[in-house]
Short mmCIF file of all heavy atoms in Angstrom, two decimals:
data_model
loop_
_atom_site.label_atom_id
_atom_site.label_comp_id
_atom_site.label_asym_id
_atom_site.label_seq_id
_atom_site.Cartn_x
_atom_site.Cartn_y
_atom_site.Cartn_z
N LEU A 20 -0.18 187.42 187.63
CA LEU A 20 -0.63 187.33 186.28
C LEU A 20 0.07 188.24 185.40
O LEU A 20 0.70 187.81 184.30
CB LEU A 20 -2.14 187.47 186.13
CG LEU A 20 -2.81 187.27 184.76
CD1 LEU A 20 -2.64 185.67 184.40
CD2 LEU A 20 -4.27 187.56 184.75
N GLU A 21 0.20 189.47 185.74
CA GLU A 21 0.95 190.48 184.94
C GLU A 21 2.44 190.24 184.94
O GLU A 21 3.07 190.42 183.93
CB GLU A 21 0.64 191.91 185.47
CG GLU A 21 -0.73 192.33 185.04
CD GLU A 21 -1.06 192.16 183.65
OE1 GLU A 21 -0.31 192.60 182.72
OE2 GLU A 21 -2.09 191.58 183.34
N TRP A 22 2.94 189.76 186.09
CA TRP A 22 4.31 189.36 186.09
C TRP A 22 4.68 188.31 185.09
O TRP A 22 5.61 188.32 184.36
CB TRP A 22 4.81 188.93 187.49
CG TRP A 22 6.21 188.53 187.59
CD1 TRP A 22 7.21 189.31 188.02
CD2 TRP A 22 6.79 187.33 187.40
NE1 TRP A 22 8.35 188.58 188.00
CE2 TRP A 22 8.16 187.32 187.58
CE3 TRP A 22 6.30 186.06 186.90
CZ2 TRP A 22 9.10 186.20 187.48
CZ3 TRP A 22 7.14 184.97 186.64
CH2 TRP A 22 8.49 185.10 187.00
N ALA A 23 3.84 187.24 185.05
CA ALA A 23 3.96 186.09 184.20
C ALA A 23 3.87 186.59 182.68
O ALA A 23 4.57 186.10 181.85
CB ALA A 23 3.00 185.03 184.44
N ARG A 24 2.86 187.44 182.42
CA ARG A 24 2.72 187.95 181.11
C ARG A 24 3.90 188.65 180.55
O ARG A 24 4.35 188.46 179.51
CB ARG A 24 1.48 188.94 181.12
CG ARG A 24 1.19 189.45 179.61
CD ARG A 24 -0.02 190.44 179.68
NE ARG A 24 -1.10 190.15 180.51
CZ ARG A 24 -2.14 189.33 180.20
NH1 ARG A 24 -2.21 188.78 178.95
NH2 ARG A 24 -3.14 189.11 181.03
N ALA A 25 4.47 189.57 181.48
CA ALA A 25 5.71 190.28 181.12
C ALA A 25 6.87 189.35 180.90
O ALA A 25 7.69 189.55 179.93
CB ALA A 25 5.98 191.33 182.21
N ARG A 26 7.05 188.40 181.69
CA ARG A 26 8.14 187.48 181.53
C ARG A 26 8.08 186.57 180.31
O ARG A 26 9.02 186.28 179.65
CB ARG A 26 8.31 186.43 182.76
CG ARG A 26 8.59 187.14 184.22
CD ARG A 26 9.92 187.91 184.25
NE ARG A 26 9.83 189.22 183.78
CZ ARG A 26 9.17 190.26 184.34
NH1 ARG A 26 8.45 190.16 185.41
NH2 ARG A 26 9.21 191.50 183.77
N THR A 27 6.84 186.22 179.96
CA THR A 27 6.63 185.48 178.76
C THR A 27 7.01 186.32 177.46
O THR A 27 7.61 185.74 176.57
CB THR A 27 5.18 185.05 178.65
OG1 THR A 27 4.79 184.24 179.73
CG2 THR A 27 4.83 184.17 177.41
N ALA A 28 6.72 187.53 177.55
CA ALA A 28 7.14 188.44 176.39
C ALA A 28 8.59 188.65 176.31
O ALA A 28 9.02 189.03 175.30
CB ALA A 28 6.38 189.83 176.56
N GLU A 29 9.31 188.36 177.42
CA GLU A 29 10.78 188.58 177.45
C GLU A 29 11.53 187.37 177.20
O GLU A 29 12.82 187.36 177.22
CB GLU A 29 11.11 189.16 178.82
CG GLU A 29 10.62 190.52 179.15
CD GLU A 29 10.80 190.96 180.55
OE1 GLU A 29 11.37 190.09 181.45
OE2 GLU A 29 10.44 192.04 180.90
N LEU A 30 10.94 186.20 176.94
CA LEU A 30 11.68 184.99 176.62
C LEU A 30 12.76 185.18 175.53
O LEU A 30 12.52 185.96 174.73
CB LEU A 30 10.76 183.81 176.22
CG LEU A 30 9.84 183.23 177.32
CD1 LEU A 30 8.75 182.27 176.78
CD2 LEU A 30 10.64 182.62 178.38
N ALA A 31 13.78 184.47 175.69
CA ALA A 31 14.98 184.67 174.82
C ALA A 31 14.55 184.41 173.31
O ALA A 31 15.21 184.99 172.41
CB ALA A 31 16.09 183.74 175.15
N ARG A 32 13.56 183.56 173.07
CA ARG A 32 13.12 183.45 171.70
C ARG A 32 11.57 183.22 171.77
O ARG A 32 10.97 182.75 172.94
CB ARG A 32 13.77 182.36 170.98
CG ARG A 32 13.64 180.89 171.54
CD ARG A 32 14.50 179.98 170.60
NE ARG A 32 13.91 178.77 170.35
CZ ARG A 32 14.29 177.57 170.88
NH1 ARG A 32 15.39 177.54 171.55
NH2 ARG A 32 13.74 176.45 170.48
N GLU A 33 10.89 183.28 170.68
CA GLU A 33 9.44 183.29 170.73
C GLU A 33 8.91 181.86 170.56
O GLU A 33 9.41 181.11 169.65
CB GLU A 33 8.79 184.13 169.65
CG GLU A 33 7.29 184.30 169.74
CD GLU A 33 6.79 185.33 168.79
OE1 GLU A 33 7.52 186.06 168.24
OE2 GLU A 33 5.62 185.26 168.49
N PRO A 34 8.00 181.37 171.47
CA PRO A 34 7.46 179.93 171.22
C PRO A 34 6.59 179.90 170.04
O PRO A 34 6.15 181.00 169.58
CB PRO A 34 6.80 179.68 172.55
CG PRO A 34 6.36 181.11 173.07
CD PRO A 34 7.47 181.97 172.60
N LEU A 35 6.24 178.68 169.60
CA LEU A 35 5.23 178.53 168.61
C LEU A 35 3.88 179.12 169.00
O LEU A 35 3.11 179.70 168.17
CB LEU A 35 4.95 177.07 168.19
CG LEU A 35 6.15 176.29 167.59
CD1 LEU A 35 5.82 174.75 167.66
CD2 LEU A 35 6.52 176.75 166.24
N ARG A 36 3.61 178.92 170.27
CA ARG A 36 2.39 179.44 170.84
C ARG A 36 2.54 179.56 172.32
O ARG A 36 3.32 178.85 172.94
CB ARG A 36 1.33 178.39 170.62
CG ARG A 36 -0.05 178.60 171.12
CD ARG A 36 -1.06 177.55 170.81
NE ARG A 36 -2.28 177.72 171.63
CZ ARG A 36 -3.08 176.81 171.90
NH1 ARG A 36 -2.85 175.57 171.59
NH2 ARG A 36 -4.11 177.11 172.68
N SER A 37 1.87 180.45 172.90
CA SER A 37 1.81 180.50 174.43
C SER A 37 0.40 180.88 174.84
O SER A 37 -0.35 181.47 174.08
CB SER A 37 2.83 181.60 174.85
OG SER A 37 2.45 182.95 174.39
N GLU A 38 0.09 180.51 176.10
CA GLU A 38 -1.22 180.79 176.68
C GLU A 38 -1.03 181.04 178.20
O GLU A 38 -0.33 180.29 178.80
CB GLU A 38 -2.14 179.54 176.40
CG GLU A 38 -3.57 179.95 176.58
CD GLU A 38 -4.59 178.99 175.99
OE1 GLU A 38 -4.20 178.19 175.18
OE2 GLU A 38 -5.73 178.89 176.52
N LEU A 39 -1.85 181.92 178.62
CA LEU A 39 -1.85 182.31 180.05
C LEU A 39 -3.13 181.95 180.62
O LEU A 39 -4.17 182.28 180.03
CB LEU A 39 -1.55 183.90 180.06
CG LEU A 39 -1.06 184.51 181.31
CD1 LEU A 39 0.33 183.87 181.68
CD2 LEU A 39 -0.86 186.01 181.17
#
Side-chain angles (χ1 to χ4, degrees):
L20 185 64
E21 286 311 309
W22 181 94
R24 185 184 316 276
R26 298 299 82 72
T27 301
E29 296 171 356
L30 288 172
R32 64 184 221 246
E33 189 173 342
L35 295 171
R36 177 179 169 209
S37 64
E38 193 165 342
L39 205 56

